[in-house]
Amino acid sequence: MAAAAVTGARHLRASRNGQDAVATYRGVGGAVVVVADGCGSAPSSEVGARLGATLFAAAVGARLADTEREIEVPAAWEAARADVVKALAAVAGGEHSLVRDCFLFTLVAAAIGPRGGASVWALGDGAYSFGDTTCVLGPFEDNQPPYLAYDLMNEPRRAHFASAPATCETIIVATDGACDLDTGLEGFATHKNLEHPDALRRQLALLARSDERIDWDARRVIRTPARLQDDCAVAVLHRRFAS
């Protein structure tokens, strides 16, 4: 698997922190990847995004070792959701201002279980792909995606769930920043990205960088804007089938 998050060009120009995060889990029961996108209007949503992604990856991973709970059914994901909400509630301590400032984030996650079953679970906008088929989640009305934090306010939103086809080798999840690219996600599932620990981050960093070159004949500077204007987090799960 491979996972990375970068700050988009728009946030770099404004000297703002990146608000996307990524987390992974690998154990004897399988593997999990999670991407999270903090709310752009909240002052410290990158805190919740990182905390939420880490907690969710661990909560789903804890269930992978339990072979009685297959990860390709929604109930296992919802149990992990409840664990994370409980942990966030303990941190928030009933302070709604802390929830609004830090805990507004979306989640898109994928997991492969002990028997080879795989699925995707999401709460909010973003995208995922099974092989070369990409599914875009959102945008939502009034640019208000369902956040996990609404569970803390007793207003839970319905999550998205999809089982991966049995023959699907590669699953990719991404925050909505990847939708800036107007292409599918399969370009992230390269051999280099899966083998080199920093290759995916470098690929995203280049996409978030603008370019300048001088046209000496025309005596002008040609500026090419970055393709990734928004923050972006991407994670790839690849499984090899026995021949």
Side-chain angles (χ1 to χ4, degrees):
M1 56 185 171
V6 297
T7 304
R10 195 161 52 239
H11 278 188
L12 288 172
R13 288 194 299 271
S15 297
R16 295 182 61 188
N17 290 338
Q19 295 173 315
D20 287 12
V22 65
T24 64
Y25 169 92
R26 175 181 283 168
V28 293
V32 185
V33 291
V34 183
V35 295
D37 181 1
C39 173
S41 61
S44 303
S45 63
E46 67 272 13
V47 176
R50 185 169 183 180
L51 181 61
T54 302
L55 289 173
F56 198 68
V60 176
R63 280 161 175 75
L64 293 179
D66 183 356
T67 56
E68 297 302 316
R69 296 183 178 183
E70 275 295 333
I71 204 61
E72 61 262 34
V73 296
W77 291 96
E78 291 301 319
R81 172 183 184 169
D83 285 350
V84 175
V85 170
K86 183 178 180 180
L88 292 178
V91 174
E95 291 290 334
H96 291 299
S97 60
L98 181 63
V99 174
R100 290 192 300 270
D101 289 349
C102 299
F103 290 166
L104 298 180
F105 58 86
T106 63
L107 291 168
V108 187
I112 296 175
R115 297 192 184 101
S119 56
V120 164
W121 184 95
L123 193 60
D125 47 15
Y128 65 89
S129 71
F130 294 142
D132 58 0
T133 302
T134 297
C135 176
V136 176
L137 305 170
F140 293 88
E141 186 177 356
D142 296 327
N143 195 29
Q144 294 183 355
Y147 294 119
L148 185 67
Y150 292 146
D151 289 33
L152 299 173
M153 304 172 187
N154 296 317
E155 299 177 5
R157 302 298 199 267
R158 184 176 180 179
H160 175 90
F161 174 83
S163 294
T167 57
C168 176
E169 292 186 339
T170 304
I171 306 171
I172 306 172
V173 294
T175 55
D176 67 341
C179 299
D180 284 351
L181 302 176
D182 293 325
T183 60
L185 301 178
E186 60 271 15
F188 294 115
T190 65
H191 177 77
K192 182 178 181 181
N193 284 349
L194 290 166
E195 294 297 328
H196 193 286
D198 198 40
L200 179 57
R201 186 201 62 81
R202 291 179 182 178
Q203 182 181 3
L204 292 174
L206 287 174
L207 290 169
R209 182 184 303 170
S210 58
D211 182 60
E212 290 187 357
R213 67 180 181 86
I214 300 175
D215 185 335
W216 294 105
D217 293 333
R219 297 185 179 182
R220 65 190 181 99
V221 177
I222 300 175
R223 293 182 173 87
T224 304
R227 294 182 62 194
L228 271 180
Q229 291 293 315
D230 195 6
D231 301 337
C232 187
V234 176
V236 183
L237 270 179
H238 181 75
R239 53 182 177 177
R240 296 182 178 91
F241 295 103
S243 56

